[in-house]
Structure formats: C-alpha cells, structure tokens
Amino acid sequence: ETGKTFIAFVTDYRLEEAKILLRDSDWTINAIAGFLGYKTPSYFRKIFSERLHMTPVQYRDYVRHEKADDF
C-alpha cells in the first residue's frame, strides 16, 4: 500500500524515530542506534547520512540551533 519495500518502510520509520530522539533527547548516538535496532552505531550513521545528507550529530546540532532561534 505504501509503494515501498518492507526494508525501505522500516528504514524510513527508524529514521523518523531517530530524528525525534536526536531533537528531543540527550541520548547518545550509540544509544539511539541500539534502541532503533541497528546492530552497530556505524551502520546507523551510514544509513542516516545517506538518507539525510548529514550525520546524526550534525542533524542534532542543526535542529537544536533552529529550535533555539525560535525563542
């Protein structure tokens, strides 16, 4: 129904959850990767970077900077 493969659907879901955790928690990248079911943090970073064109740390810095500018 989504037009995506199962793997693509799960990956998209995991990355959306990762974005929320990166924005709203102080969990480490390793903790987020493990929580979302990635076997290694390096693989999580690779997939995140390929899809979002920035590392998880860069994303966290970006969204927190944007959030701070809203106040």
Side-chain angles (χ1 to χ4, degrees):
E1 289 184 27
T2 65
K4 298 178 185 179
T5 65
F6 178 73
I7 298 297
F9 178 81
V10 170
T11 300
D12 288 348
Y13 178 82
R14 285 176 167 174
L15 292 177
E16 287 304 313
E17 291 298 309
K19 288 166 44 178
I20 292 167
L21 291 169
L22 289 165
R23 183 187 67 224
D24 297 335
S25 79
D26 289 325
W27 289 14
T28 65
I29 304 304
N30 292 356
I32 292 170
F35 178 75
L36 295 174
Y38 287 96
K39 291 190 186 226
T40 64
S42 61
Y43 186 68
F44 167 66
R45 286 185 198 91
K46 178 182 185 272
I47 297 300
F48 193 97
S49 297
E50 286 175 357
R51 295 283 184 100
L52 296 163
H53 307 289
M54 64 178 78
T55 67
V57 171
Q58 290 170 328
Y59 179 82
R60 176 176 269 167
D61 291 343
Y62 174 77
V63 296
R64 288 189 174 176
H65 179 73
E66 290 295 313
K67 198 174 186 181
D69 285 347
D70 289 344
F71 292 106

